[in-house]
Amino acid sequence: MAPRKSASSYTFPHPMDNEVLIGHEDVLKNFTTAWASRDIHPIHPVWMLTGPRGIGKATLAYKIAKMVYGNVGDFFIIDIDRNIDKDGKIKSDAKTISVFTVRAMIEKMQMSSMSGDWRVILIDSVDELNTAASNAILKLLEEPPAKTLFLLVVHQLANVLPTIRSRARVEKMRPLTVDQLRQLCVKFMPEEDISTENLRLSNGCFGRIAKLKQTGGDAIYDELIKTLNSPRSNSVDIMTIAKKIAPDMSLHSILLDTVAAYGLADLYPKTARAIADIKSVNLEPEIAVFKIISEIKKCLSTPTAI
């Protein structure tokens, strides 16, 4: 077996540059069919691609965008990387997309060429728009400009304003199958031998596998499982794992993966609330994670958990 690469040695292309789309053939076919017959039946101007993070929604959105504007028309992108403040400066530490970002895009769109070619506006993601930005987009969608296609990436449909949702054609994208995940692993991590068990734990999201590889979270997860399975592990061992998980919020989800892996259905909602409280109640992350792991260990030690 080839040696494992270090966590930092893996790189994954941005969705704009990713030419590999695995799965979602049904959604792509829905669009290509509508696009091909647009002269007979006007295509819906707003397409909303929904589904869990990391399943390829943005990759599909960029693929569709390139098909429509074809390097001839205009292409406008709204995402957290292009987020700006009121002075037009990039806000690299922002958690939401500002209304100033949306207004700047609208201004550029109004100044774009009048060649008659199609324009595409891609928002990745609608979940990250703040309230003012969402309202600005809503006003734009109320009277969409001619020959303009909106591609809206959405992680949680419940987070979207109902008035925006009602103006879109919603395409629900499903999590990837284990076989599809394996195809992506072979493409982007050919030297890795990823078990079917770990693929299933990703819940159909290749983005989660990629994130764990980049952060070394897969090794931490394995260590967590060994600690939970060992009858000799103690509070010191649990705290050691907690200190590795706590600093990186993206790793907190492996606690839910662990609960699901052991079939502790009653513990799942409690764990989800405890993870949410780490952010909302400003709890000490290490102590909070320690308590969660300890609770899992306790459940596994009782006869009812078997």
Side-chain angles (χ1 to χ4, degrees), residues 10 21 31 44 158 168-169 184-185 204 231 241 287 296:
Y10 286 105
L21 179 70
F31 181 82
H44 199 295
R169 170 168 174 166
L184 287 167
C185 289
I241 298 295
I287 300 300
I296 297 173

Side-chain angles (χ1 to χ4, degrees), residues 5 10-12 18 20 22 54 176-200 202 204-213 218:
K5 288 191 175 185
Y10 286 105
T11 57
F12 302 93
N18 185 14
V20 180
I22 301 295
L176 301 174
T177 66
V178 169
D179 287 342
Q180 290 169 337
L181 288 171
R182 197 179 301 282
Q183 290 179 56
L184 287 167
C185 289
V186 170
K187 173 65 179 179
F188 295 110
M189 296 177 286
E191 297 181 14
E192 283 290 337
D193 182 14
I194 301 177
S195 68
T196 298
E197 173 67 14
N198 281 331
L199 291 177
R200 286 174 177 159
S202 71
C205 302
F206 179 73
R208 296 190 66 184
I209 298 174
K211 183 66 175 179
L212 288 174
K213 284 297 177 185
D218 57 329

